[in-house]
Amino acid sequence: MKPVRIVVLTGAGVSAESGLGTFRDRDGLWSRYAIEDVATPDAYARDPALVHDFYNMRRREAAQARSNAAHHALARLQQSTQHEVTLVTQNVDALHEAAGATPLHMHGQLDQALCAACAHRWPAPMEMSPETPCPSCGGATARPDVVWFGEMPYALDAIDAALTSPDLFAAIGTSGQVYPAAGFVDVAAASGAETIELNLEPTSTRFDDHRLGRATEVVPAWVGSLVQ
Ligand code: APR
């Protein structure tokens, strides 16, 4: 396979087989919690304890989870010398890193804390509360370093740069419901990239190709076709 520039976008479906819930599947997180109660700046201003409880639960689950074969295959792809791979993830778990990959976390990270007052970042304690002090300014203004609805995603400059001329774009384990991530396939296609979706079921006809099935099966097979 000739060296190619590959952009991979992952979503919750990549971590589902590690035991972490997705958002919009039948028993997904958004069927059990209201976004406006736990995942917006207004929610945090209104009831920070509820928001912290939600992310403490997710942080505990993520800390117990282990990378799966899809995470390991994507790390192998990124480490291969045949390709230049930009791995963008919407996921806030650290399972790509645990498998040896270096993702761009466009929606932030559960294991990071952010001070809502002075923007200091530090490794998040497992349990956070409205009383958790910022180590820098001392304010009781700690929040999870995750991107809430209505906030600007992280790493967009790096992502835009990677999307200027990819040869191949793959969306893996994402329903394609949330922008700007959902529009990356269009940007890649407009740059002339081949586009492929690896998912339990097809989410859009905008992809040139689909590999349907569980991530732990279809992702290693797909990576195997790219890396000798
Ligand atoms: N293997 C492959 N795909 C799977 C698997 C699996 N084992 N399990 C679920 N999927 C697919 C589902 O079919 C669905 O298309 O993963 C996708 C998960 O979609 P969502 O739950 O919407 O998650 P995601 O696309 O990552 O959500 C994007 O929305 O709420 C925000 O910030 C949140 O980052 C999240 C963003």
Side-chain angles (χ1 to χ4, degrees):
M1 171 66 71
K2 71 179 177 58
V4 290
R5 286 181 300 280
I6 304 175
V7 177
V8 177
L9 169 70
T10 63
V14 160
S15 296
E17 290 162 86
S18 295
L20 298 184
T22 60
F23 295 94
R24 296 173 182 82
D25 287 325
R26 198 171 37 262
D27 55 352
L29 278 167
W30 298 146
S31 69
R32 291 181 277 135
Y33 295 88
I35 287 173
E36 58 274 11
D37 291 344
V38 295
T40 66
D42 286 348
Y44 175 70
R46 183 172 59 248
D47 190 347
L50 179 64
V51 172
H52 278 304
D53 287 349
F54 176 68
Y55 286 96
N56 290 340
M57 173 274 292
R58 294 185 65 197
R59 193 173 299 111
R60 283 194 298 273
E61 287 181 347
Q64 298 300 317
R66 294 292 169 266
S67 305
N68 62 49
H71 297 109
H72 286 285
L74 291 172
R76 181 165 157 247
L77 177 64
Q78 192 173 38
Q79 288 157 6
S80 83
T81 54
Q82 296 166 260
H83 308 294
E84 185 188 309
V85 179
T86 301
L87 176 60
V88 181
T89 189
Q90 300 173 92
N91 299 339
V92 292
D93 61 56
L95 296 181
H96 282 304
E97 289 89 336
T102 307
L104 294 171
H105 277 281
M106 65 180 292
H107 289 167
Q109 296 167 257
L110 278 172
D111 57 12
Q112 289 291 313
L114 169 67
C115 178
C118 75
H120 177 65
R121 282 187 171 80
W122 69 101
M126 190 58 74
E127 303 288 329
M128 290 174 72
S129 79
E131 289 70 45
T132 302
C134 167
S136 175
C137 74
T141 45
R143 57 167 278 186
D145 188 15
V146 298
V147 176
W148 287 325
F149 286 88
E151 294 186 319
M152 182 63 80
Y154 293 154
L156 290 185
D157 290 347
I159 295 166
D160 289 348
L163 286 173
T164 50
S165 57
D167 300 297
L168 184 57
F169 174 82
I172 305 178
T174 180
S175 63
Q177 300 290 306
V178 175
Y179 284 81
F184 291 168
V185 58
D186 304 311
V187 178
S191 305
E194 180 191 340
T195 61
I196 186 170
E197 175 176 54
L198 294 84
N199 206 57
L200 265 188
E201 73 261 336
T203 68
S204 166
T205 57
R206 289 145 51 218
F207 291 92
D208 299 320
D209 193 2
H210 296 268
R211 296 277 193 290
L212 300 182
R214 293 176 333 131
T216 54
E217 288 161 15
V218 298
V219 177
W222 174 67
V223 169
S225 72
L226 292 169
V227 175
Q228 306 313 344

